[in-house]
Amino acid sequence: MWKKILKLQSIDSKRTAICQALQQCRSQTLALFSDIDDQTFRQQAHPDFSPVGWHLGHLAFTEAYWILERFAGKQTLFPEYQKLFAADGLPKESRQNLPTIDTIQDYLQTVRKQILAYLEVAPLEKEERFWRWLIQHESQHSETISFVLELHRFHLTANQASFSFPNSLSPVKKIAPKTVFNREMIAIPAGDFLMGSNAIEAQDNERPTYTVYLDKYWLDPYPVTYGEYRQFIKAGGYQKAEFWSEKGWKWLQENPVAQPLYWREETIWDNHPVCGVSYYEAEAYANFVGKRLPTEAEWEKAASWNPITKQKSAYPWGNEEPTAKFSNHNNLFGQTTPVNQYPAGKSSLGCYDLLGNVWEWTATWFTGYQGFQSYPYRGYSQVYFDGEHRVLKGGSWATRPWGLRNSFRNWYHPHVRQILAGFRCARSN
């Protein structure tokens, strides 16, 4: 009898935790729209990304489809939105003809009220993994909203010599720059480590865990900064083919640029991680300094493995959940911070800033681990196992805590610059 009581208590505590996370995540999503104008709400900032308003409607659509229709067996709510807000319903450029923000928020509230009612009786023994996925689904769309808004701000200031935030987000007011730190590379000892995650919240592409052996290698203790990347620009790095791969140089000739997308000219940014670089730009810089980009396994080992205890941690600092003590995430500042701002967040091997601030490109193509099983549908990960997407690790300043962990995998085409991405370098000897 007591085992049954404990099980019921455990289910109830999970139900409460999921409800709280859903509400916290939604509150943070809606906060991004607190002072948005109608044009920004419905207009594309870039052809590859949907308007921010579309993402709100898509969140409601996804919750209604999976929870209310598939799990609870209810009829379709708001059938007029089925094509507009489905991920495969309309091309991105056709998603700009949106209802008003008030109408979409009513849609969100109506759906959310019903799914919270269902959560009170949901069989979590069977459905917990999906509810954890749903929270992360909103987290990922919330981050996309953040960087699309970043693109809108960038376009507004495109006529300036360099992109800068409004005074309300100025790093001068918010963040004290830290100027002295050790750039000596960290030696990562040879040996096995456990890669991936089997935790209930792990996405399908993080599963299953498996053992990887790596020879000794070295990794930068911090992401590459604006100050360091400036040397590449001054040396004519964008004009010299010898630093670029064949595909990278071809991309550069077809897309002539001379600096990262979100370039900062002011020296106060020098200790912030460079942001808005493509994989090709990151690769070229690594060649310029005689290094290379790390593989995904090298990045994850440096972030998660303690060679003394032979234990894997969920986060670089251990297993305590992410907070403002450990990293710059969850829109804490709405921008990057200096790469050595969070000493409490360094890994057991001595690397800083592995989670949050900027995503980091790796040299690994995105594919499934051996034993991969798609969840909750093939289109979430498996359709991107096409040999055309590189893995990014670590999260950004806009990543919600539910999607922030060492094993989490992001993926994009190597030419993409709009995401909040930077990198750090590695070498083999």
Side-chain angles (χ1 to χ4, degrees):
M1 181 67 180
W2 63 270
K3 290 184 178 180
K4 184 177 181 180
I5 292 173
L6 286 175
K7 183 178 181 181
L8 290 173
Q9 288 176 337
S10 175
I11 293 295
D12 286 343
S13 64
K14 288 181 179 180
R15 209 182 303 277
T16 298
I18 289 170
C19 182
Q20 290 175 345
L22 284 166
Q23 293 174 325
Q24 290 170 4
C25 189
R26 178 57 50 83
S27 175
Q28 292 165 359
T29 300
L30 293 177
L32 298 173
F33 294 86
S34 60
D35 58 356
I36 199 169
D37 61 83
D38 186 69
Q39 182 177 355
T40 305
F41 182 75
R42 64 179 63 250
Q43 187 178 69
Q44 278 185 290
H46 186 276
D48 290 346
F49 301 100
S50 301
V52 292
W54 179 88
H55 290 275
L56 277 187
H58 175 70
L59 294 175
F61 168 82
T62 302
E63 290 187 356
Y65 172 74
W66 284 97
I67 302 295
L68 302 183
E69 296 178 37
R70 298 205 42 175
F71 291 176
K74 295 186 176 184
Q75 291 186 341
T76 300
L77 282 179
F78 301 93
E80 66 271 26
Y81 294 152
Q82 294 296 293
K83 189 171 184 180
L84 174 59
F85 291 124
D88 57 356
L90 292 173
K92 290 182 173 65
E93 66 269 17
S94 301
R95 296 173 179 178
Q96 300 179 90
N97 185 22
L98 294 169
T100 65
I101 187 170
D102 289 340
T103 300
I104 293 180
Q105 287 189 340
D106 287 343
Y107 178 32
L108 279 168
Q109 291 170 4
T110 300
V111 171
R112 177 52 66 88
K113 182 177 179 181
Q114 292 195 32
I115 76 155
L116 290 180
Y118 174 75
L119 177 59
E120 293 178 0
V121 297
L124 285 188
E125 300 91 339
K126 298 178 181 179
E127 296 178 2
E128 181 185 358
R129 184 181 177 189
F130 183 83
W131 287 93
R132 303 290 183 184
W133 178 89
L134 191 67
I135 296 164
Q136 293 178 77
H137 174 260
E138 175 155 348
S139 298
Q140 289 170 279
H141 279 275
S142 178
E143 177 162 359
T144 301
I145 291 165
S146 290
F147 75 69
V148 171
L149 290 175
E150 186 88 339
L151 286 171
H152 278 296
R153 288 192 286 266
F154 173 74
H155 294 323
L156 286 174
T157 58
N159 60 335
Q160 298 179 5
S162 63
F163 174 57
S164 59
F165 284 95
N167 288 336
S168 61
L169 294 176
S170 168
V172 178
K173 293 184 177 182
K174 293 271 187 174
I175 304 165
K178 298 189 176 184
T179 57
V180 179
F181 52 92
N182 182 10
R183 292 297 314 192
E184 186 175 347
M185 297 186 83
I186 304 294
I188 313 297
D192 294 332
F193 87 104
L194 194 65
M195 188 161 177
S197 175
N198 293 328
I200 189 68
E201 67 272 11
Q203 303 285 18
D204 59 1
N205 59 73
E206 297 172 66
R207 300 164 180 254
T209 57
Y210 66 105
T211 300
V212 177
Y213 175 85
L214 295 175
D215 291 327
K216 183 179 181 180
Y217 62 98
W218 282 258
L219 190 68
D220 284 348
Y222 307 99
V224 172
T225 64
Y226 282 103
E228 291 168 323
Y229 199 89
R230 195 184 318 278
Q231 303 309 309
F232 175 64
I233 295 175
K234 288 181 177 179
Y238 280 89
Q239 291 78 43
K240 297 179 179 178
E242 62 262 32
F243 300 131
W244 298 76
S245 66
E246 182 179 346
K247 288 184 177 179
W249 187 248
K250 182 175 184 292
W251 168 81
L252 184 61
Q253 304 318 297
E254 295 172 352
N255 303 270
V257 295
Q259 60 191 29
L261 180 59
Y262 305 120
W263 181 242
R264 319 294 198 193
E265 200 61 62
E266 302 87 348
T267 57
I268 193 171
W269 292 96
D270 277 3
N271 285 349
H272 289 239
V274 68
C275 185
V277 294
S278 68
Y279 173 86
Y280 297 131
E281 290 166 284
E283 181 184 47
Y285 174 89
N287 290 333
F288 168 70
V289 295
K291 301 179 185 178
R292 59 175 174 80
L293 295 180
T295 66
E296 178 184 12
E298 288 173 335
W299 189 99
E300 190 167 326
K301 181 176 182 179
S304 66
W305 193 247
N306 187 319
I308 298 175
T309 64
K310 307 295 183 184
Q311 295 292 315
K312 177 184 177 71
S313 61
Y315 313 105
W317 54 85
N319 292 310
E320 186 177 343
E321 292 185 356
T323 67
K325 172 184 176 182
F326 298 115
S327 71
N328 176 21
H329 67 286
N330 207 26
N331 280 270
L332 289 170
F333 297 97
Q335 62 184 50
T336 58
T337 49
V339 295
N340 59 342
Q341 186 77 16
Y342 294 92
K346 71 177 180 178
S347 71
S348 62
L349 286 164
C351 293
Y352 288 70
D353 227 29
L354 286 156
L355 292 190
N357 231 0
V358 292
W359 288 98
E360 298 184 24
W361 288 105
T362 76
T364 299
W365 293 107
F366 183 58
T367 191
Y369 299 157
Q370 186 173 358
F372 169 86
Q373 294 182 341
S374 63
Y375 182 91
Y377 57 96
R378 183 179 180 275
Y380 178 70
S381 295
Q382 193 169 355
V383 295
Y384 300 101
F385 299 163
D386 55 6
E388 297 181 1
H389 293 77
R390 295 283 187 179
V391 175
L392 298 101
K393 301 287 281 186
S396 76
W397 55 258
T399 303
R400 300 300 183 192
W402 302 281
L404 202 71
R405 55 184 173 271
N406 294 328
S407 58
F408 192 90
R409 311 174 76 199
N410 197 356
W411 64 91
Y412 273 98
H413 287 287
H415 64 264
V416 174
R417 311 172 82 219
Q418 292 73 29
I419 57 175
L420 305 173
F423 63 101
R424 74 180 70 211
C425 297
R427 63 178 174 83
S428 301
N429 50 51

